[in-house]
Amino acid sequence: MKAIEVKNLYFKYEKEWVLEDINFELEDKEFMAIIGPNGGGKTTLLKLLLGFLSPTKGEIKIYGKPPKENREIIGYVPQHTNFSLDLPITVFDIVLQGRLKKGKFFYSQKDKEKAKEILDTLNIYNLANKKIKDLSGGQRQKVLIARALVSEPKILMMDEPTSAIDPSGQKEILDLIESFEVTRLVVSHDIKILLRDVDKIAYIHKKAVIHEGPKLNIPKDKHFCEVELIEFLKDESCGI
Amino acid sequence: MWDLISSSIYASLLLSIAIAVIGSLIVINKTTAITGSIAHGSFGGIGLALYLGSSVILTTSLFTALLAVILAVITIRFPHRQDSLIGVIWAVGMSIGIIFLSLTPGYQSDALSYLFGNILLVENKDLIFMGIIDLVILISIIFLYHRFLAMSYDREFLKLRGINADLLYTYFLILTSLTIVMSVRAIGIILILALFTIPALIAEKFTKRFFTMMILSGVLGLIFMVSGILISYYYDISPTPTIVIIASIILLLSLLKRK
């Protein structure tokens, strides 16, 4: 079964088309990067994939079902910069939120053990009792990744996971994402993501340009600017 | 002396429970403006009750719950316009109250007492209503603690976990509206906001967990109210403004200390 199927997707906000005729598929355990300029529709596409928005036309399926009907298998990692730092909440309490679900009002011992295990895996168990305010940007992003992973998702969707993080923190986050053995979809305006082991790229600027495997052979030492990237994709005959 | 202030001390105890839970939730959800809008809008319910000759508690509870639902819809559906629309509800509720008061025969001095409140004048029926609302608040926070906390941190994520975050938010605003009704007699429409937010604002700075924030804001609220009642009793001044001034001084000191 395909992890993601997007067919003839259109989305209109007020009177303007934000996305037009988007088509792509993603296989189980594949890693996809969604890139493109700010305001090009990346975040809208992510919200459609998460089921927070409904398509104006077209169809989205996540493991065979519309996103709203299959949310339990989605792990979502928003940008760490979206959240208030004043809230009196510890890292452990944030991670546990990934175990919440319909009809469940209290955390079980198993939930707490799972949260400890994930924090341990991500090497941040020492931060469990810290207030979110006391962490660095990279650590905050790892906490949100832990919250997504603790629900044992089949697919991870991430919105700008490396934004507002120092270079060493960015590398650490990308290494981590690369190592996960689940389907991954990362929205990023930072094209350094393409130097990673991605299986597919969607370049979104109202319309989508999809570049599919075999895996890209982008020279690992080369940093692309957007124009160079498009030229590179052209060379790869991906249908631009 | 005890005979004169005993009801107000019981009222302080009961109000401190609401301050602990609802006050803390108001602060962490940044719904201070919405709370102000419901509080001032509740004057519409009071005016309506006095015009109809119906129970002020019941009529105002229904009226403010309706305002809470309208405000929930506004903030969920029109987030970019919520600031202005909250102000509109604030003014419309008060206007409704004033219109009904002008239609009610006789001088309505009772209506003005709801604007400024007087904790020394709470009656047994007010204490009973406070107790009932406290019970609802306590049961709600026991079962919904984790959801409320998740809602305050990241409402979208809560939706992704299959929980109706919009319904939960609406329920929180209805609880806020009932808390306002239970406080209006003692604290008054105009000063409710201060009493519900100042203890939580102080507590937020000194706590790492929401649970301890609630406990600390409840204790602070109780201390502010009891000290305000005693000072107002000895100096024969109005109790609610005294409580608010004491709380504000402590808030200022806590901000200075942090710097």
Side-chain angles (χ1 to χ4, degrees), chain A residues 64-103:
Chain A
K65 290 182 187 173
K68 275 183 189 165
E69 293 172 26
N70 220 357
R71 279 175 166 168
E72 284 225 335
I73 63 159
I74 302 173
Y76 172 46
V77 184
Q79 290 184 53
H80 74 89
T81 47
N82 290 352
F83 304 109
S84 163
L85 297 179
D86 292 326
L87 193 70
I89 188 167
T90 61
V91 165
F92 196 66
D93 283 335
I94 291 174
V95 175
L96 270 174
Q97 287 174 3
R99 300 294 289 186
L100 278 172
K101 60 181 178 183
K102 204 172 181 177

Side-chain angles (χ1 to χ4, degrees), chain A residues 9 19 48-49 59 77 122 150 159 196 213-215 231:
Chain A
L9 176 72
L19 294 171
L48 284 158
L49 290 167
E59 188 181 52
V77 184
L122 299 188
V150 81
D159 188 11
R196 294 294 171 147
K215 283 174 187 169
E231 290 304 314

Side-chain angles (χ1 to χ4, degrees), chain B residues 232-249:
Chain B
S232 67
Y233 178 80
Y234 283 112
Y235 291 95
D236 196 21
I237 48 178
S238 185
T240 312
T242 312
I243 294 166
V244 171
I245 295 298
I246 293 168
S248 303
I249 291 168

Side-chain angles (χ1 to χ4, degrees), chain A residues 13 47 50 52 71-72 74-76 78 83-84 86-90 93-94 97-98 100-107 129 131-132 144 147 151, chain B residues 28-30 80 142-147 149-163 204-211 213 258:
Chain A
Y13 181 70
K47 285 185 185 279
L50 288 162
F52 292 150
R71 279 175 166 168
E72 284 225 335
I74 302 173
Y76 172 46
F83 304 109
S84 163
D86 292 326
L87 193 70
I89 188 167
T90 61
D93 283 335
I94 291 174
Q97 287 174 3
L100 278 172
K101 60 181 178 183
K102 204 172 181 177
K104 183 174 178 178
F105 296 94
F106 303 100
Y107 297 126
N129 284 316
K131 208 172 161 179
I132 195 78
L144 294 178
R147 182 182 65 166
S151 64
Chain B
I28 66 169
N29 280 284
K30 299 181 170 49
H80 305 300
I142 288 169
F143 282 94
L144 301 174
Y145 177 86
H146 298 303
R147 284 165 194 236
L149 191 56
M151 176 185 85
S152 313
Y153 186 64
D154 184 357
R155 219 185 295 170
E156 271 194 344
F157 188 80
L158 201 57
K159 285 181 189 170
L160 204 65
R161 299 305 307 146
I163 293 162
E204 186 187 44
K205 296 200 174 301
F206 296 97
T207 48
K208 206 158 70 171
R209 288 196 159 81
F210 181 59
F211 182 76
M213 176 184 172
R258 292 295 284 185

Side-chain angles (χ1 to χ4, degrees), chain A residues 129-183:
Chain A
N129 284 316
K130 288 214 179 245
K131 208 172 161 179
I132 195 78
K133 192 178 187 172
D134 301 328
L135 309 185
S136 69
Q139 287 170 329
R140 282 176 203 146
Q141 197 64 62
K142 276 173 124 181
V143 171
L144 294 178
I145 292 172
R147 182 182 65 166
L149 288 175
V150 81
S151 64
E152 300 172 273
K154 285 179 86 169
I155 180 164
L156 260 185
M157 297 192 195
M158 290 171 262
D159 188 11
E160 305 281 3
T162 56
S163 72
I165 296 175
D166 63 72
S168 70
Q170 287 182 5
K171 183 184 176 305
E172 205 181 341
I173 296 288
L174 291 173
D175 286 346
L176 209 55
I177 295 168
E178 214 168 50
S179 71
F180 296 145
E181 289 181 359
V182 292
T183 310

Side-chain angles (χ1 to χ4, degrees), chain A residues 103-114:
Chain A
K104 183 174 178 178
F105 296 94
F106 303 100
Y107 297 126
S108 65
Q109 195 54 37
K110 192 187 164 200
D111 294 332
K112 290 174 187 169
E113 278 162 17
K114 189 72 197 167

Side-chain angles (χ1 to χ4, degrees), chain A residues 14-60:
Chain A
E14 291 180 348
K15 286 180 181 171
E16 197 174 332
W17 289 104
V18 181
L19 294 171
E20 289 179 14
D21 197 22
I22 310 287
N23 292 279
F24 67 87
E25 289 178 346
L26 195 65
E27 301 290 335
D28 189 43
K29 293 194 172 59
E30 276 190 335
F31 180 5
M32 181 174 201
I34 296 182
I35 56 161
N38 287 332
K42 303 189 298 289
T43 303
T44 303
L45 177 60
L46 183 65
K47 285 185 185 279
L48 284 158
L49 290 167
L50 288 162
F52 292 150
L53 295 173
S54 300
T56 309
K57 277 197 280 181
E59 188 181 52
I60 299 174

